[in-house]
Amino acid sequence: MTFEHNTLDQVTTWVKAGHVSDFPEDGGSSILYKDQQIAVFNFTTINKWFATQNLCPHKKQMILARGIIGTQGEEQTPKVACPYHKKTFSLETGENLNGCEDSITTFPIKIEDDTVFVGLVEEK
Amino acid sequence: MARIVIVGNGMVSYKLCEKLVEKNSSASITVIGEEPRPAYDRVHLSAYFEDENADKLTMAPKDWYNGNGINLITSEKVSQINREEQYVTTHTNAKYEYDYLVLATGSSAFVPPIKGVEKKGVFVYRTIEDLEMMMAYGKKASSAAVLGGGLLGLEAAKAAIDMNLKTSVVEFAPRLMPRQIDEEGGLLLKNKMEDLGIDILLGKATSNIEGEEEMTGMAFSDGTSLDVDMLIISAGIRPRDELGKEAGLEVAERGGFVVNSLMQTSDEKIFAVGECASYENMIYGLVAPGYDMAEVVAEQIANDNKEYTFTGCDMSTKLKLIGVDVASFGDPFCDNIPHYPISINDKKNGIYKRINVDLEGKKLLGGILIGDADDYNMLHQMFINEMALPPHPQDLIIKSSGEEGGAGMGVDALPDTAQVCSCENVSKGDICCSIKDDGVTDINGIKAATKAGTGCGGCLPMVNNILEDTLASMGTVVRKEICEHFPYTRQEMFDLIKVNEIKSYTELLEKYGSGGGCETCKPLVGSLLASIWNDLILKESTIQDTNDRFLANIQKGGSYSVVPRIPGGEITPDKLIVIGEVAKEFDLYTKITGGQRIDLFGARLNDLPLIWERLVDAGFESGHAYGKSLRTVKSCVGSTWCRFGLHDSVGFAIEVENRYKGLRSPHKLKGGVSGCIRECAEARGKDFGIIATEKGWNLYVGGNGGANPKHAVLLAGDIDKETVIKYLDRYLMFYIKTAEPLQRTAPWQEKLEGGIDYLKQVICEDSLGIGEQLENDMKILIAHYTCEWKAAINDPEMRKRFTHFSNDDSHDPTQKFKRERGQRFPVAW
Ligand SMILES: Cc1cc2nc3c(=O)[nH]c(=O)nc-3n(C[C@H](O)[C@H](O)[C@H](O)COP(=O)(O)OP(=O)(O)OC[C@H]3O[C@@H](n4cnc5c(N)ncnc54)[C@H](O)[C@@H]3O)c2cc1C
Ligand code: SF4
Ligand code: SF4
């Protein structure tokens, strides 16, 4: 799997992920779109939402949505820690923050009328 | 610009490159290595068995060489040296000219000329490829033998046993590790290896390896034989000096390029370093001397410095074999040197220590440590630095109970010149400087600033002691702050939460923290909140580790295991049937645990509430196997059935387990109750153990199994049940309040100043006057107990969380299982 940091202008499809209340405060849950698993995080403390791939690149497990989220460093980089071995990834860039794992793909996300949408790049 | 060609890309070759880069050498460097990948950490080769991850072992990736202007050529073997015209040629006939040539060709495993060694199933243990072949072959084998009972052989044996093979070690000498340890030590080590399930055959000369194409066994010269499917040869090393012979370089009698103290071979344009170099007729089969040699060459190439020379190296070793501590330093035997040996041979606990002291009783000459090598670093330092011995040298190896570290001296006694990390040659002074002058305050900082502990890592405990000692001497209080979000220790957090009646993580972060929290502080606060208020852990589920968040233990493949509580290990047939039915319906793998209960593996997230609904209906409660909390209280059958039993151990175990079930603590807690001194419940291997006596019960505390087994020590003897409970209430609460995060009772107890005697005063004599308070705190926790699973399945909001997808009811479609021995397993990752 190659990772990408998908940006807003690349988005071709906005996928409806669910109602805001489907995602626990300061936590995550995954959604299924076609055969893709996407982790959606509701980072209440800093009032932001994030979406990334659900697969942890370390042991190739569909698990990141169940990880603990937090911030790191003076820049307060938002991150998620994989429940298995505590590999942490930036929720903004997808970069692995504590090792040399591959980066993870991140997706743009938006909230409209309490509905969560994840922006995907689909080949036409 | 000088052209340097380095032959071989092993650990020492890499270290030389690193040093040349560090010293800003202007030379143009070409490295030619025969292995397919850049240099990797051979010392930790066995780690490859665990995860088959070669990247982790890599010293530096190819990019590093490129980025530093080093031309690295892999999979290419140098086949000839032309000294006259100063070039080398490789097996593909490529030609590389040099001004200086460095031979870093290492060594290969020595394969003795035994009939049949060419058969399939015979391996050596040196490269990643060797391991890969061994692992592939090991899958169809059921037994393995290791030829050679030295340092490496024992490591190979451990690897074989980890591959689930029936393992034997065959040694020619009459004892194990004959070069490092003496007879008594060898005997103890043999017992310890046998405890690990490894057979030890001593005094055996192998005469033939039997079998047709594939080996099937070994025959020995004494007429005996051994049926075995594969053989790992670990009978010593042979320096790879073949290039020198042809080129007319001087080669030592026992192999290796002869070098002087500048690492020059008989041709001054050609250096040799590492395991292929013979200095004063000695091959150093360790990595640290090789690194030292690399420094000598780097100084000459980069700084034209001929003052820095190699003067030989200390061969002290600490075996990194998991499960048994073995170390030797200096001259372990002192066969021809006048000395006094001082030794203890504690057969009960499997500890043998010997030190050799000079006749005046002033200096250490060497020693051996088996079963407990905690003092190795300190003793080794005392030896190297020729430090004066304490008035009673025996104190160095005899620990009085409760005291930490027997070596009778603290790190402050070490001179600044003491070499603490031998891999990277870092002295105590270097480390202190980085702390005092550069403001380093933690281990990672020291690693970055000095490189200490980045090699084998054996020196880290000592580095840590120096760090704490130096910080303390600077008046800096060594505080173990939790993480960047909370500038407090665990105990301070405990008080903050309690005194200010904080009930949620968010509230605490707002009032006392900063930033957005992290995976360290969130679960820690979760555990503290539970320890103080015993509130439902699910209320703020996203601060919990996944196990606590989903009230089950996550396993490979993203499934969970389910462990219902079976207090004291007593269960009715009806309840057993329910477990069986549930396991069958949800296709769960079942296994009996060491704590006398039944573990059900492979539950999918979406099924967890359904499974628990059935279990709760049948009267089961959560077993808290997922939490840092009380697990089980194991019991023997006791006086109700056993003819030796003095009291009802099962009944008491059930009572105690039910009392503390759900109790959240810094780490998991286990207990045991035995009906008599025979101790069938192995209660002394638990955090608390209760053993029946003629007059009542003995209460032991602070034991554990696991990697570092510890026996619990007696807190109070011949006390009645009520007193047992009272003391336990106090003990557990005191532990919960004052321990570090993830610290089990044994290390906590050891770190307490005053040790067990102090603990006896606080718990039994109430010297701090907090006994009643501790008991009350415990009462509150007990009163607040609710079964977390019962609460979860009855609350629709909580139930909602047990789905893999929030927009779809299906299970995770990527989960894969296989079937073996009639049960369902996850596929390996
Ligand atoms: C399983 C195991 C455990 C060990 N544990 C410890 C330990 O705990 N502590 C410790 O100090 N030491 C330990 N050692 C020893 C340590 O690994 C060696 O001392 C160290 O690797 C020596 O480094 P080197 O660079 O001299 O040789 P090597 O690491 O062997 O490197 C030599 C390289 O040169 C290559 N080469 C040889 N000839 C040619 C040629 N003609 N052309 C091109 N390339 C060539 C080889 O293929 C090899 O890659 C252990 C070794 C093993 C195998
Ligand atoms: S990193 Fe190194 S040998 Fe190694 S001394 Fe320090 S710990 Fe050893
Ligand atoms: S510990 Fe004593 S009472 Fe318990 S089973 Fe063993 S022998 Fe019997």
Side-chain angles (χ1 to χ4, degrees):
Chain A
M1 177 144 191
T2 55
F3 91 93
E4 288 136 45
H5 174 49
N6 291 341
T7 54
L8 261 180
D9 48 307
Q10 293 171 313
V11 171
T12 56
T13 322
W14 283 101
V15 174
K16 190 174 144 190
H19 190 263
V20 286
S21 66
D22 291 341
F23 303 93
E25 293 194 356
D26 282 318
S29 182
S30 69
I31 60 156
L32 185 65
Y33 174 69
K34 295 186 180 164
D35 53 5
Q36 199 169 346
Q37 296 197 22
I38 296 164
V40 173
F41 299 97
N42 174 9
F43 207 149
T44 334
T45 304
I46 59 171
N47 214 359
K48 279 190 185 154
W49 288 74
F50 299 96
T52 70
Q53 70 185 53
N54 195 25
L55 184 88
C56 175
H58 177 221
K59 290 290 176 186
K60 314 276 183 286
Q61 305 281 310
M62 286 295 179
I63 203 72
L64 288 180
R66 299 183 212 166
I68 292 179
I69 55 177
T71 61
Q72 176 169 324
E74 271 166 39
E75 307 82 44
Q76 308 256 334
T77 311
K79 62 173 181 174
V80 58
C82 174
Y84 279 109
H85 302 96
K86 298 271 158 83
K87 304 274 174 195
T88 52
F89 301 90
S90 159
L91 290 170
E92 279 167 349
T93 64
E95 182 198 354
N96 178 208
L97 300 172
N98 61 351
C100 43
E101 300 305 324
D102 289 341
S103 297
I104 56 172
T105 303
T106 58
F107 306 95
I109 191 163
K110 65 178 180 185
I111 314 292
E112 278 170 11
D113 295 335
D114 283 348
T115 304
V116 184
F117 294 91
V118 176
L120 300 184
V121 189
E122 284 191 289
E123 311 214 341
K124 289 273 151 67
Chain B
M1 196 163 57
R3 291 163 305 174
I4 313 289
V5 171
I6 304 176
V7 185
N9 186 218
M11 298 184 75
V12 176
S13 160
Y14 163 74
K15 186 54 65 172
L16 175 58
C17 293
E18 185 190 274
K19 287 182 186 285
L20 288 172
V21 168
E22 257 169 29
K23 295 179 198 288
N24 287 320
S25 159
S26 61
S28 114
I29 305 167
T30 303
V31 183
I32 308 167
E34 146 203 88
E35 292 191 67
R37 59 189 105 234
Y40 52 89
D41 183 356
R42 212 178 294 286
V43 172
H44 292 106
L45 194 59
S46 299
Y48 189 72
F49 275 108
E50 276 158 35
D51 53 10
E52 293 177 51
N53 185 346
D55 291 348
K56 257 204 219 151
L57 292 178
T58 306
M59 310 288 296
K62 275 195 164 159
D63 295 351
W64 179 85
Y65 294 86
N66 290 338
N68 286 298
I70 297 172
N71 180 17
L72 172 66
I73 301 153
T74 50
S75 301
E76 188 98 4
K77 179 174 176 174
V78 172
S79 51
Q80 220 178 6
I81 308 174
N82 187 323
R83 289 168 52 194
E84 231 99 282
E85 292 170 39
Q86 296 190 204
Y87 67 82
V88 296
T89 41
T90 70
H91 77 293
T92 60
N93 266 328
K95 192 169 140 184
Y96 298 91
E97 296 186 342
Y98 65 79
D99 297 311
Y100 286 103
L101 181 65
V102 184
L103 301 171
T105 50
S107 60
S108 54
F110 167 61
V111 180
I114 299 170
K115 258 202 349 243
V117 277
E118 71 294 339
K119 296 210 165 89
K120 276 199 191 138
V122 180
F123 299 91
V124 296
Y125 196 52
R126 179 88 199 166
T127 64
I128 289 187
E129 285 70 26
D130 290 338
L131 255 65
E132 281 172 344
M133 290 192 285
M134 225 184 278
M135 286 164 92
Y137 201 89
K139 287 207 177 108
K140 50 175 192 165
S142 61
S143 59
V146 175
L147 188 70
L151 213 69
L152 254 171
L154 296 184
E155 200 180 314
K158 179 72 172 57
I161 210 121
D162 288 344
M163 289 198 296
N164 286 323
L165 299 170
K166 183 178 173 330
T167 305
S168 321
V169 171
V170 178
E171 166 63 49
F172 177 73
R175 63 167 185 267
L176 290 175
M177 295 181 64
R179 291 203 296 166
Q180 286 91 1
I181 62 182
D182 61 7
E183 220 176 294
E184 265 183 277
L187 203 62
L188 180 67
L189 180 58
K190 173 171 181 279
N191 292 339
K192 295 227 153 195
M193 296 303 288
E194 285 168 347
D195 287 347
L196 290 176
I198 298 171
D199 271 342
I200 307 287
L201 308 175
L202 298 173
K204 294 274 181 200
T206 310
S207 54
N208 191 25
I209 293 169
E210 324 225 281
E212 300 289 319
E213 210 169 294
E214 294 181 357
M215 72 167 290
T216 55
M218 302 163 71
F220 306 116
S221 59
D222 60 3
T224 57
S225 63
L226 174 71
D227 287 341
V228 66
D229 302 332
M230 61 189 281
L231 175 66
I232 305 168
I233 294 187
S234 176
I237 54 172
R238 279 291 166 275
R240 295 196 50 185
D241 54 13
E242 59 269 14
L243 280 172
K245 287 181 184 145
E246 222 179 287
L249 290 175
E250 195 184 335
V251 169
E253 202 178 313
R254 285 190 285 167
F257 305 104
V258 173
V259 291
N260 60 18
S261 61
L262 288 169
M263 307 325 294
Q264 289 164 326
T265 62
S266 54
D267 177 337
E268 59 170 29
K269 299 275 180 213
I270 304 181
F271 298 99
V273 290
E275 277 186 349
C276 64
S278 172
Y279 176 74
E280 293 185 340
N281 248 321
M282 172 95 175
I283 294 285
Y284 293 89
L286 294 174
V287 70
Y291 284 3
D292 217 9
M293 297 176 183
E295 174 75 18
V296 173
V297 174
E299 272 298 304
Q300 290 173 74
I301 294 177
N303 298 334
D304 204 17
N305 173 5
K306 288 200 183 316
E307 303 295 307
Y308 190 81
T309 56
F310 185 75
T311 51
C313 221
D314 164 57
M315 291 290 278
S316 304
T317 34
K318 187 170 167 196
L319 191 59
K320 53 190 187 301
L321 194 83
I322 310 125
V324 185
D325 271 3
V326 182
S328 78
F329 59 93
D331 186 340
F333 311 116
C334 286
D335 280 340
N336 300 313
I337 306 170
H339 73 286
Y340 291 118
I342 303 177
S343 64
I344 56 163
N345 193 347
D346 174 353
K347 294 201 165 116
K348 178 157 165 281
N349 295 309
I351 295 171
Y352 173 71
K353 299 182 183 184
R354 162 177 171 176
I355 50 176
N356 303 318
V357 176
D358 72 345
L359 291 184
E360 277 137 58
K362 293 229 167 84
K363 282 193 317 202
L364 263 186
L365 301 171
I368 300 167
L369 304 170
I370 296 172
D372 171 7
D374 288 355
D375 297 333
Y376 169 74
N377 279 327
M378 197 62 210
L379 290 171
H380 184 209
Q381 289 299 337
M382 295 187 68
F383 158 70
I384 295 202
N385 297 295
E386 303 194 354
M387 286 161 65
L389 297 182
H392 306 287
Q394 64 268 29
D395 291 350
L396 292 173
I397 52 172
I398 299 169
K399 282 185 200 182
S400 57
S401 65
E403 221 176 290
E404 219 193 297
M409 284 184 142
V411 282
D412 56 335
L414 285 179
D416 271 355
T417 50
Q419 186 196 44
V420 175
C421 174
S422 57
C423 290
E424 295 289 341
N425 190 11
V426 184
S427 69
K428 178 188 166 196
D430 297 338
I431 296 172
C432 293
C433 269
S434 76
I435 302 167
K436 287 189 183 141
D437 302 345
D438 308 339
V440 170
T441 54
D442 60 12
I443 284 278
N444 285 336
I446 292 182
K447 280 186 176 174
T450 66
K451 293 202 147 202
T454 56
C456 73
C459 58
L460 283 175
M462 182 164 254
V463 174
N464 196 37
N465 284 345
I466 295 177
L467 172 69
E468 291 189 353
D469 209 63
T470 313
L471 287 178
S473 76
M474 289 160 64
T476 317
V477 190
V478 189
R479 290 168 51 87
K480 296 209 169 120
E481 290 181 5
I482 283 164
C483 68
E484 60 181 81
H485 305 104
F486 289 98
Y488 302 104
T489 62
R490 181 181 179 276
Q491 201 173 344
E492 287 166 345
M493 296 274 271
F494 189 102
D495 294 338
L496 276 180
I497 294 174
K498 184 144 193 207
V499 175
N500 300 300
E501 303 212 0
I502 307 264
K503 295 283 170 68
S504 78
Y505 175 82
T506 324
E507 188 185 344
L508 189 72
L509 185 69
E510 250 167 44
K511 289 198 176 137
Y512 299 100
S514 64
C518 69
E519 69 280 5
T520 305
C521 59
K522 284 182 170 181
L524 176 88
V525 172
S527 152
L528 285 174
L529 287 169
S531 284
I532 299 168
W533 312 120
N534 205 0
D535 227 358
L536 276 188
I537 207 117
L538 263 196
K539 280 204 185 139
E540 231 184 335
S541 70
T542 55
I543 63 168
Q544 309 290 355
D545 276 322
T546 187
N547 287 356
D548 271 322
R549 179 164 172 197
F550 297 110
L551 304 175
N553 295 48
I554 196 165
Q555 309 292 352
K556 282 185 178 176
S559 69
Y560 289 84
S561 61
V562 167
V563 190
R565 185 168 297 289
I566 302 178
E570 186 183 85
I571 186 166
T572 61
D574 281 335
K575 280 186 153 180
L576 265 179
I577 290 171
V578 172
I579 291 190
E581 282 171 352
V582 169
K584 217 163 167 180
E585 183 177 332
F586 292 91
D587 203 359
L588 304 176
Y589 166 92
T590 53
K591 184 169 189 316
I592 312 280
T593 72
Q596 300 184 332
R597 41 195 197 173
I598 300 173
D599 210 339
L600 310 168
F601 289 82
R604 294 168 158 221
L605 191 52
N606 306 26
D607 287 341
L608 281 175
L610 306 172
I611 292 171
W612 274 103
E613 211 159 43
R614 298 278 305 277
L615 293 172
V616 168
D617 262 355
F620 284 106
E621 292 186 310
S622 165
H624 293 97
Y626 45 82
K628 303 291 175 231
S629 56
L630 180 83
R631 297 285 169 83
T632 67
V633 180
K634 187 174 174 178
S635 69
C636 74
V637 319
S639 61
T640 34
W641 294 90
C642 175
R643 65 200 162 107
F644 297 114
L646 296 170
H647 312 300
D648 175 15
S649 50
V650 184
F652 199 13
I654 296 175
E655 189 182 328
V656 174
E657 182 160 342
N658 279 330
R659 181 173 184 84
Y660 300 121
K661 64 189 174 191
L663 183 70
R664 298 279 162 168
S665 42
H667 209 306
K668 62 183 171 194
L669 281 173
K670 297 181 179 181
V673 184
S674 276
C676 81
I677 189 82
R678 289 171 188 76
E679 244 284 70
C680 296
E682 297 168 334
R684 287 192 62 199
K686 312 286 180 203
D687 296 278
F688 57 89
I690 305 168
I691 300 175
T693 66
E694 299 280 349
K695 297 186 199 127
W697 303 88
N698 280 353
L699 174 59
Y700 297 85
V701 290
N704 59 241
N708 260 321
K710 283 262 150 59
H711 265 149
V713 288
L714 187 68
L715 183 72
D718 292 329
I719 49 177
D720 60 12
K721 261 175 142 179
E722 290 65 38
T723 316
V724 170
I725 298 281
K726 178 163 111 180
Y727 287 174
L728 258 183
D729 278 0
R730 292 179 178 185
Y731 174 80
L732 293 174
M733 211 57 221
F734 191 47
Y735 161 66
I736 291 173
K737 285 194 166 180
T738 59
E740 305 282 341
L742 298 183
Q743 187 177 40
R744 283 197 70 174
T745 52
W748 166 72
Q749 213 161 284
E750 256 170 42
K751 290 253 155 65
L752 273 185
E753 220 159 295
I756 184 72
D757 295 329
Y758 171 69
L759 207 52
K760 280 182 188 163
Q761 286 165 12
V762 176
I763 305 295
C764 311
E765 290 156 33
D766 198 8
S767 60
L768 299 181
I770 54 170
E772 203 174 325
Q773 165 88 46
L774 293 172
E775 285 169 55
N776 281 337
D777 287 346
M778 183 61 87
K779 280 205 188 87
I780 294 174
L781 292 185
I782 293 168
H784 275 87
Y785 169 80
T786 22
C787 169
E788 286 158 359
W789 265 112
K790 196 168 181 177
I793 56 175
N794 289 325
D795 179 336
E797 269 308 301
M798 286 188 187
R799 267 186 96 133
K800 232 179 78 179
R801 295 192 198 132
F802 293 88
T803 55
H804 183 70
F805 298 114
S806 58
N807 66 343
D808 194 300
D809 288 338
S810 52
H811 293 300
D812 176 0
T814 63
Q815 281 184 330
K816 290 203 178 59
F817 295 96
K818 62 177 178 187
R819 228 156 245 290
E820 248 173 62
R821 298 191 294 274
Q823 298 211 65
R824 197 178 64 158
F825 290 79
V827 299
W829 60 19

